[in-house]
């Protein structure tokens, strides 16, 4: 809460609010003053809210603030989620209501300004459906929706233009500068036209100048083409060198690559990899797991003080000493002569294991270093190709480049020395110029005083201006003559240079054709060798995959056999242990132990079953003896049941006859009375 108040006060003390508040004054504000501050913040976001809340009814103030907060999508905190409580707190200027609003608003002032601006144009008007039946209202509603969509698109385009980095002021300045340059160029072109039109053969000179420009452009394009061809030639030479190196490596590999050697190499690699996977890596993984477990235990323990550390050190010393003494005693007690004989072999085995582990570690480090070097080489090669369009410089080209750089270094030193001499000479000349200017000013002052004394002031200035005008006129005449001569000489030089360039490029083009043909031949040879290499590599890869499958099958079979062996061994041990326990219980003199024996349990079960069988046989004998009597009794019961059923039927019939009339028996006769 204190951080929230600090942030609110800090923001209110800045522009544009400048409230000059602190924690005490802000906390002691009246509810009306706090609401006025909230209204000022809302007015900064939306200028339409700039009102004095004393001149407004509290209900209208709350309604206006709630409407704006709803447009800004403000959500009250969890304890103020009830709308009525929130409105009541806003009316009374409650601090738990106003402080979160101020904190939320001051955090997002620029964003909320934009949202408030857009809300006035993007609010959708809810028109009842019965009013939309009117054509005028429906058309107006559609037009309003179209205007809202158009405003969205225009606003997005405006935001894109603002974020694109273009400034209208800079564009206007650039346009004005370009227009000024255009105007200056037009004026200079018109001046040059006027100067040239006075000459007799100006059209011919203009045509030659045009041809000169065309030839210069052509020369630049030819130079560019020549540079590109040089780059292509250099790249072709680099590819040729790489192809020759690959061909050489492939020949060496093919010379040493017999099937037996390849299989032997693959077997060695399989052994190394199996050792790495089965022995080295599991040990490292187990060590890392122990380290992680130890670190987790250390991290989970509470923080220790100095006294706890001292106690732990004392415990470690006492425990370590006692454990060392116990181990020494155990070793002395187990001192076996056979162990002494095997100690040498154990030491040799441990040395071999350590050497094997060190070599495996060196092999792994070498592989990692090789992978890093190859990755660095690929990265540098890609960087070189991206920057220059060429590969890595190697061999003779590197030597030529070093010689060229040395020559440029010596040239750079000479030029730097010449620049230093010129700078020194420039300083001397600058100082001389200053001295001469001072003398010239003195002479001019004296001359002006003399002219004033003689009454002819300004004569020297007029004479100097006349001399300057005549000199400028003579220079212009000389320039006109030199321009015509220079243009004719330049045309001749260009023609001669074009002829020389053509003659110089002819042998280069011929050599390039031969090199292209040679490159095509070498690329054809390279493709053939590549096909041979790929076929050989595919065959070796298939053999390797077969060997790997065989090794995998053998490993699976070995694992199954080991599992079967361990299962049989464990079952046999369990049976042997069970038999030993049974024998111990059977031989024991304790009756309680004998009762636990399986033999006794089985004997008890047999006796119980025999007694049960005896009872069942006696019961069977009794049933057989009373079977005939029971059958007669059963038959009598059935006859009784039939007799009772017959009586029931007769009774039902008599009941039905009694409903028709009444039978009276008198004197051995039956009489029916209706």
């Amino acid at each position: 809460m204190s951080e929230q108040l600090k942030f609110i006060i800090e923001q209110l003390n800045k522009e544009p609010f400048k409230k000059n508040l602190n924690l005490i004054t802000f906390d002691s504000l009246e509810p009306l003053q706090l609401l006025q501050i909230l209204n000022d913040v809302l007015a900064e976001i939306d200028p339409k809210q700039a009102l004095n809340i004393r001149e407004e009814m509290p209900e209208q103030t709350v309604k206006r603030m709630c409407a704006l907060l709803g447009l800004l999508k403000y959500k009250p905190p969890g304890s103020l989620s009830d709308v009525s409580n929130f409105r009541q707190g806003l009316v009374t200027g409650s601090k738990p209501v106003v402080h979160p609003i101020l904190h939320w608003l001051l955090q997002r002032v620029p964003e909320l300004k934009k949202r408030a601006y857009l809300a006035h144009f993007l609010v959708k008007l809810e028109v009842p459906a019965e009013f939309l039946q009117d054509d005028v209202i429906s058309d107006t509603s559609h037009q309003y929706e179209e205007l809202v969509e158009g405003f969205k698109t225009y606003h997005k385009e405006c935001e894109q233009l603002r974020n694109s980095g273009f400034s209208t002021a800079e564009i206007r300045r650039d346009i004005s500068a370009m227009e000024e340059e255009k105007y200056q160029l037009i004026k200079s072109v018109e001046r040059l036209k006027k100067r040239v039109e006075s000459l007799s053969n100006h059209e011919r000179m203009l045509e030659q100048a045009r041809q000169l420009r065309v030839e210069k452009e052509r020369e630049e394009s030819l130079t560019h083409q020549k540079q590109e061809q040089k780059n292509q030639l250099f790249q072709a030479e680099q590819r040729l060198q790489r192809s020759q190196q690959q061909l050489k490596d492939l020949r060496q590999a093919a010379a040493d690559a017999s099937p037996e050697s390849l299989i032997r190499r693959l077997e060695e690699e399989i052994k190394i990899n199996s050792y790495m996977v089965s022995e080295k890596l599991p040990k490292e993984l187990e060590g890392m797991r122990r380290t992680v477990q130890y670190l987790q235990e250390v991290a989970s323990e509470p923080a220790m003080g100095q006294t706890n550390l001292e106690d732990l050190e004392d415990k470690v010393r006492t425990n370590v000493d006692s454990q060392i003494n116990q181990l020494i005693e155990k070793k002395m007690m187990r001192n076996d002569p056979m162990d002494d004989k095997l100690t040498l072999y154990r030491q040799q085995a441990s040395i071999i294991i350590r050497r094997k582990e060190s070599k495996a570690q060196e092999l792994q480090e070498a592989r990692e270093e090789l992978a890093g070097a190859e990755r660095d080489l690929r990265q540098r090669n890609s960087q070189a190709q991206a920057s220059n369009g060429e590969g890595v410089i190697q061999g003779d080209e590197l030597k030529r480049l070093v010689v060229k750089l040395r020559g440029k270094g010596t040239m750079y030193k000479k030029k730097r020395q010449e620049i230093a001499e010129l700078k020194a000479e420039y300083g001397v000349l600058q100082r001389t110029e200053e001295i001469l200017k001072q003398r010239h000013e003195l002479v001019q002052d004296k001359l002006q005083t003399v002219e004033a004394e003689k009454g002819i002031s300004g004569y020297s200035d007029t004479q100097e201006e006349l001399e300057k005008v005549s000199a400028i006129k003579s220079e212009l005449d000389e320039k006109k003559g030199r321009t015509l001569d220079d243009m004719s000489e330049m045309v001749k030089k260009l023609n001669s240079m074009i002829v020389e360039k053509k003659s110089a490029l002819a042998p280069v083009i011929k050599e390039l054709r031969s090199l292209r043909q040679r490159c095509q031949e070498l690329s054809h040879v390279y493709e053939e060798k590549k096909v041979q290499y790929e076929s050989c590599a595919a065959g070796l890869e298939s053999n390797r995959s077969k060997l790997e499958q065989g090794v995998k099958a053998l490993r699976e079979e070995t694992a199954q056999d080991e599992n079967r062996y361990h299962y049989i061994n464990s079952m046999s041990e369990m049976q042997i242990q069970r038999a030993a326990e049974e024998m111990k219980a059977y031989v024991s003199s304790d009756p309680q132990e004998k009762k636990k024996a399986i033999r006794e349990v089985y004997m008890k079960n047999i006796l119980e079953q025999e007694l049960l069988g005896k009872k069942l046989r006696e019961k069977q004998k009794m049933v057989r003896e009373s079977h005939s009597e029971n059958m007669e009794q059963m038959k009598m019961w059935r006859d009784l049941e039939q007799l009772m059923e017959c009586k029931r039927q007769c009774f039902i019939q008599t009941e039905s006859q009694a409903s028709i009339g009444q039978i009276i028996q008198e004197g051995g006769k039956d009489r029916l009375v209706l």
Side-chain angles (χ1 to χ4, degrees):
M1 194 67 182
S2 60
E3 295 295 331
Q4 189 183 63
L5 291 176
K6 287 180 182 178
F7 177 77
I8 293 170
I9 293 166
E10 183 181 357
Q11 295 298 321
L12 289 175
N13 291 333
K14 292 181 180 179
E15 289 286 346
F17 305 107
K18 289 186 178 180
K19 297 294 182 182
N20 195 16
L21 298 170
N22 54 32
L23 283 171
I24 298 171
T25 56
F26 183 74
D27 192 59
S28 61
L29 289 174
E30 296 294 330
L32 196 62
Q33 296 174 343
L34 193 62
L35 285 175
Q36 184 63 48
I37 290 174
L38 176 60
N39 191 78
D40 294 340
V41 175
L42 292 174
E44 178 63 24
I45 294 170
D46 186 6
K48 294 180 181 179
Q49 306 294 323
L51 297 172
N52 189 355
I53 60 174
R54 298 178 187 273
E55 301 174 356
E56 191 179 20
M57 295 297 292
E59 292 79 6
Q60 294 179 355
T61 304
V62 172
K63 186 177 180 181
R64 176 171 54 81
M65 289 183 177
C66 289
L68 183 58
L69 290 173
L71 286 175
L72 300 178
K73 297 182 180 179
Y74 172 73
K75 293 182 179 179
S79 59
L80 301 171
S81 58
D82 190 1
V83 178
S84 60
N85 294 336
F86 178 72
R87 285 178 178 272
Q88 187 65 29
L90 201 58
V91 169
T92 58
S94 176
K95 293 179 182 178
V97 176
V98 178
H99 286 175
I101 298 174
L102 285 172
H103 184 259
W104 186 80
L105 292 173
L106 293 171
Q107 278 182 330
R108 306 168 175 82
V109 172
E111 178 186 351
L112 295 176
K113 279 184 178 180
K114 181 179 177 182
R115 189 177 293 174
Y117 167 73
L118 294 175
H120 293 297
F121 301 99
L122 300 179
V123 175
K124 290 187 177 181
L125 298 176
E126 297 295 335
V127 182
E130 56 270 15
F131 292 145
L132 289 175
Q133 301 297 327
D134 190 357
D135 295 336
V136 178
I137 297 174
S138 179
D139 294 339
T140 308
S141 177
H142 288 306
Q143 187 177 2
Y144 175 75
E145 292 177 357
E146 290 175 358
L147 290 173
V148 168
E149 295 297 328
F151 176 78
K152 287 181 182 178
T153 56
Y154 292 143
H155 181 72
K156 286 180 182 178
E157 291 176 359
C158 180
E159 289 294 325
Q160 289 175 0
L161 289 173
R162 285 177 182 172
N163 298 327
S164 61
F166 293 108
S167 175
T168 55
E170 293 179 359
I171 293 170
R172 286 172 182 169
R173 285 197 297 270
D174 293 339
I175 290 171
S176 60
M178 291 169 70
E179 288 178 350
E180 184 66 27
E181 289 177 1
K182 181 181 177 183
Y183 178 70
Q184 295 292 337
L185 287 172
I186 290 170
K187 287 178 67 177
S188 61
V189 168
E190 288 177 354
R191 267 198 312 273
L192 289 172
K193 280 183 179 180
K194 289 179 181 179
R195 288 183 183 179
V196 173
E197 284 176 357
S198 61
L199 301 174
S200 59
N201 55 350
H202 66 278
E203 293 182 357
R204 180 171 169 273
M205 292 170 66
L206 289 172
E207 184 65 28
Q208 288 179 354
R210 193 178 296 108
Q211 290 179 1
L212 175 63
R213 188 178 66 253
V214 171
E215 293 297 331
K216 281 185 177 180
E217 292 176 355
R218 186 179 174 189
E219 183 183 4
E220 290 179 357
S221 65
L222 289 172
T223 306
H224 184 65
Q225 289 178 4
K226 183 180 178 182
Q227 187 64 32
E228 287 182 353
Q229 289 178 355
K230 282 185 179 180
N231 293 334
Q232 292 176 1
L233 179 61
F234 179 73
Q235 292 176 6
E237 289 177 354
Q238 292 291 326
R239 287 196 296 270
L240 177 61
Q241 289 179 3
R242 288 195 295 270
S243 301
Q244 288 176 353
Q245 186 65 32
Q246 290 177 359
L247 181 61
K248 186 177 178 182
D249 295 339
L250 288 173
R251 284 177 178 173
Q252 290 179 358
D256 299 335
S258 62
E260 292 82 4
S261 62
L262 291 173
I263 292 171
R264 197 180 307 114
R265 196 181 305 162
L266 289 172
E267 288 177 352
E268 291 176 357
E269 290 181 0
I270 289 169
K271 288 180 181 178
I272 292 169
N273 292 329
S274 62
Y275 169 72
M276 295 285 287
V277 171
S278 61
E279 297 184 12
K280 188 174 184 302
L281 294 177
K283 289 181 181 178
E284 292 180 355
L285 183 61
E286 187 64 29
M288 289 180 181
R289 284 176 179 170
R290 285 198 297 270
T291 306
V292 170
Q293 185 179 1
Y294 175 71
L295 292 173
Q296 288 177 351
E297 291 176 357
V298 171
S300 62
E301 291 180 357
M304 294 184 179
Q306 188 64 30
T307 56
N308 295 330
L309 292 174
E310 290 176 357
D311 295 339
L312 286 174
E313 287 179 357
D314 295 336
K315 288 181 181 179
V316 167
R317 289 196 194 98
T318 55
N319 292 331
V320 167
D321 293 337
S322 62
Q323 288 178 3
I324 289 170
N325 294 329
Q326 290 177 3
L327 291 172
I328 292 170
E329 291 176 359
K330 287 181 181 179
K331 186 175 180 181
M332 292 175 67
M333 292 174 65
R334 293 180 180 178
N335 194 3
D336 193 359
M338 290 298 294
D339 292 338
D340 294 336
K341 292 179 182 179
L342 295 174
T343 304
L344 178 62
Y345 300 104
R346 288 175 180 171
Q347 290 177 356
Q348 291 178 356
S350 62
I351 291 168
I352 291 169
I353 290 169
R354 285 197 297 272
R355 190 179 298 170
K356 193 174 181 182
E357 290 177 353
S358 65
K359 292 298 180 183
Q361 185 68 26
E362 290 176 2
L363 176 62
Q364 188 174 0
E365 291 176 357
R367 286 181 176 177
E368 292 176 355
E369 187 177 357
L370 178 62
E374 289 178 352
R375 188 166 54 253
D376 192 10
L377 178 61
R378 287 195 298 270
Q379 185 177 0
R380 292 180 183 275
N381 197 0
S382 62
Q383 289 177 357
Q385 288 180 357
S387 59
N388 300 325
E390 301 174 358
V392 179
I393 299 174
Q394 297 176 355
D396 298 335
E397 183 64 24
L398 184 61
K399 293 179 182 178
R400 288 197 295 271
L401 185 60
V402 170
V403 172
K404 190 175 179 180
L405 288 173
R406 286 176 182 171
K408 287 186 177 181
T410 55
M411 183 66 70
Y412 168 72
K413 291 177 182 177
K414 289 180 182 179
K415 296 295 181 184
R416 189 172 60 182
Q417 187 177 0
E418 290 178 2
I419 289 169
E421 293 174 357
L422 290 171
K423 284 182 179 179
E425 188 176 355
Y426 172 72
V428 173
L429 292 173
Q430 194 173 8
R431 179 59 183 163
T432 305
E433 183 184 5
E434 291 177 357
I435 294 169
L436 291 174
K437 283 182 179 179
Q438 292 175 1
R439 289 180 182 178
H440 178 68
E441 289 176 356
L442 293 172
V443 171
Q444 286 292 113
D445 293 338
K446 289 181 180 179
L447 182 60
Q448 288 177 1
T449 55
V450 171
E451 287 177 353
E453 290 175 358
K454 299 294 183 181
I456 53 172
S457 59
Y459 173 76
S460 59
D461 295 335
T462 306
Q463 188 177 0
E464 286 179 359
E465 288 179 359
L466 290 172
E467 288 176 357
K468 287 180 181 178
V469 169
S470 61
I472 289 168
K473 186 176 179 301
S474 61
E475 286 178 0
L476 288 172
D477 294 336
E478 289 178 0
K479 282 182 179 179
K480 287 179 182 179
R482 282 200 303 272
T483 302
L484 294 173
D485 296 335
D486 291 340
M487 290 178 73
S488 61
E489 288 178 2
M490 193 174 292
V491 170
K492 291 179 182 179
K493 285 182 181 179
L494 285 172
N495 291 328
S496 62
M497 286 173 66
I498 289 167
V499 174
E500 289 176 0
K501 294 290 183 183
K502 286 182 178 179
S503 60
L505 286 173
V508 175
I509 292 170
K510 290 182 181 179
E511 187 178 357
L512 181 62
R513 288 173 183 171
S514 61
L515 288 174
R516 283 178 178 172
Q517 187 176 1
R518 186 181 175 190
C519 179
Q520 289 178 358
E521 294 175 356
L522 289 174
S523 60
H524 182 65
V525 174
Y526 168 72
E527 291 295 332
E528 291 179 353
K529 297 295 182 182
K530 185 180 178 181
V531 170
Q532 293 178 3
Y533 168 74
E534 288 177 352
S535 62
C536 182
L540 294 174
E541 185 68 23
S542 63
N543 292 332
R544 188 177 69 83
S545 62
K546 289 179 182 178
L547 290 173
E548 287 180 353
Q549 290 176 0
V551 170
K552 186 177 180 181
L554 291 173
R555 283 181 178 174
E556 291 177 355
E557 187 177 353
T558 305
Q560 291 176 0
D561 293 339
E562 287 180 356
N563 292 332
R564 194 181 302 110
Y565 166 73
H566 289 306
Y567 176 73
I568 294 169
N569 192 12
S570 62
M571 291 299 292
S572 61
E573 288 178 357
M574 289 173 63
Q575 290 178 359
I576 290 168
Q577 185 179 0
R578 189 174 178 183
E581 291 177 355
E582 180 69 18
M583 197 67 185
K584 183 179 178 182
Y586 181 71
V587 175
S588 178
S589 60
D590 190 1
Q592 297 294 329
E593 288 291 332
K594 281 190 175 182
K595 287 182 180 179
K596 294 180 181 179
I598 297 173
R599 186 172 180 275
E600 294 295 329
V601 174
Y602 283 163
M603 290 298 293
K604 184 178 179 182
N605 291 334
I606 290 167
L607 290 174
E608 291 177 355
Q609 294 296 324
E610 286 179 353
L611 291 173
L612 183 61
K614 187 176 180 182
K615 289 179 180 178
L616 290 172
R617 282 194 296 273
E618 290 177 355
K619 191 174 180 181
Q620 184 182 11
K621 184 178 179 182
M622 290 172 63
V623 168
R624 284 177 180 174
E625 289 176 354
S626 61
H627 178 67
S628 58
E629 295 177 358
N630 290 333
M631 289 298 290
E632 290 177 359
Q633 191 176 1
M634 187 175 176
K635 186 178 180 182
M636 291 169 67
W637 279 108
R638 283 175 184 164
D639 294 341
L640 179 61
E641 184 180 2
Q642 290 177 1
L643 182 60
M644 296 299 291
E645 181 66 25
C646 184
K647 285 185 176 182
R648 188 177 71 83
Q649 293 293 334
C650 291
F651 179 75
I652 291 170
Q653 288 177 2
T654 55
E655 287 292 328
S656 62
Q657 289 176 1
S659 61
I660 298 170
Q662 187 177 5
I663 299 172
I664 299 173
Q665 293 180 357
E666 290 179 358
K669 295 180 180 180
D670 294 332
R671 187 174 59 185
L672 177 61
V673 180
L674 298 174

